[in-house]
Amino acid sequence: MKSISLLALLPLVAAAPSLTVPNAAVPQKVRVVGVSLLGSGCPAGTADVQIDATKTLMEITFSEYIIQTGPGTKASEWRKNCKLTLNLQFDEGFSFSTLATDMSGFAQIPRGSRGLCTNTFDFTGIQGQSYYSLALPGPKEGPFTLKADPDVVSWSPCGGTSAIMNMNTQCNISPTRDQALIAVDRISGKITINVSLDWRKC
């Protein structure tokens, strides 16, 4: 599994799309102590993770996450994925889950084609996962932001000061015969996934 160094935890520079966070009980300190990445959508050095000052919003960005179909493309381009393993440390007595996600990028999808992105989250040592599905039916051309809520909520274990969260994001386009694209936003140069974190006391 390839690893990348994590930037210092700073307030997010760009204003992220609003995600509702109903729970005001959050730990005073949240620290990322390790990030590892594996997948065709996140070669080494092309992804970044930051947590904002409120400890309730995590921003994950990918700079080479590009899916395309059509004449001359290869099967490896029709689908991309990235498995991210995130080790968080926080104050004792808390547990957290993913409350909602939004995903932003750029798409060119003709009528009759459909893009689909899924984001799943689970915690090492805990059964169950939170699953988010985001569809991009054609025709669509331009920037997009897709929001999703989980069908089931999975919480990190109680009784400790750390948790390992696994995220798997994947996107595909079908059918593959037509020319279509899901890619990084042309202004930011990134595909961005914002994840709202919900905290509770154990």
Side-chain angles (χ1 to χ4, degrees):
M1 205 176 259
K2 296 180 180 179
S3 297
I4 62 171
S5 61
L6 188 70
L7 296 178
L9 298 183
L10 298 171
L12 300 180
V13 176
S18 175
L19 293 174
T20 302
V21 181
N23 191 350
V26 298
Q28 291 186 355
K29 296 180 181 180
V30 179
R31 191 163 66 99
V32 179
V33 294
V35 178
S36 62
L37 301 166
L38 180 66
S40 58
C42 53
T46 65
D48 180 45
V49 181
Q50 295 189 45
I51 296 178
D52 80 338
T54 69
K55 319 298 190 301
T56 61
L57 182 66
M58 179 169 61
E59 182 187 76
I60 306 164
T61 57
F62 304 95
S63 60
E64 291 190 18
Y65 200 112
I66 300 171
I67 304 95
Q68 54 186 338
T69 59
T73 59
K74 302 176 182 178
S76 59
E77 299 175 90
W78 303 341
R79 175 186 174 276
K80 292 293 176 73
N81 82 295
C82 182
K83 183 177 181 181
L84 180 148
T85 301
L86 185 67
N87 189 350
L88 270 75
Q89 287 186 350
F90 43 86
D91 298 338
E92 187 174 2
F94 284 91
S95 176
F96 74 95
S97 69
T98 59
L99 182 65
T101 69
D102 67 49
M103 188 170 189
S104 301
F106 182 87
Q108 288 180 319
I109 300 176
R111 188 178 303 277
S113 293
R114 181 175 186 264
L116 179 65
C117 297
T118 60
N119 300 321
T120 59
F121 298 85
D122 64 77
F123 296 96
T124 298
I126 296 291
Q127 291 186 343
Q129 63 179 204
S130 300
Y131 176 87
Y132 303 81
S133 178
L134 307 106
L136 270 168
K140 171 67 179 177
E141 180 168 359
F144 70 84
T145 297
L146 301 173
K147 299 179 184 293
D149 297 319
D151 53 352
V152 177
V153 174
S154 179
W155 289 86
S156 67
C158 278
T161 59
S162 66
I164 296 177
M165 184 174 72
N166 307 297
M167 170 187 168
N168 190 14
T169 179
Q170 56 182 314
C171 293
N172 66 77
I173 301 172
S174 62
T176 59
R177 65 178 182 271
D178 297 324
Q179 187 172 358
L181 176 73
I182 298 175
V184 299
D185 181 78
R186 291 181 174 178
I187 296 176
S188 68
K190 300 173 182 178
I191 278 183
T192 301
I193 300 176
N194 290 303
V195 183
S196 178
L197 302 178
D198 191 17
W199 295 91
R200 67 182 183 186
K201 292 186 176 181
C202 295

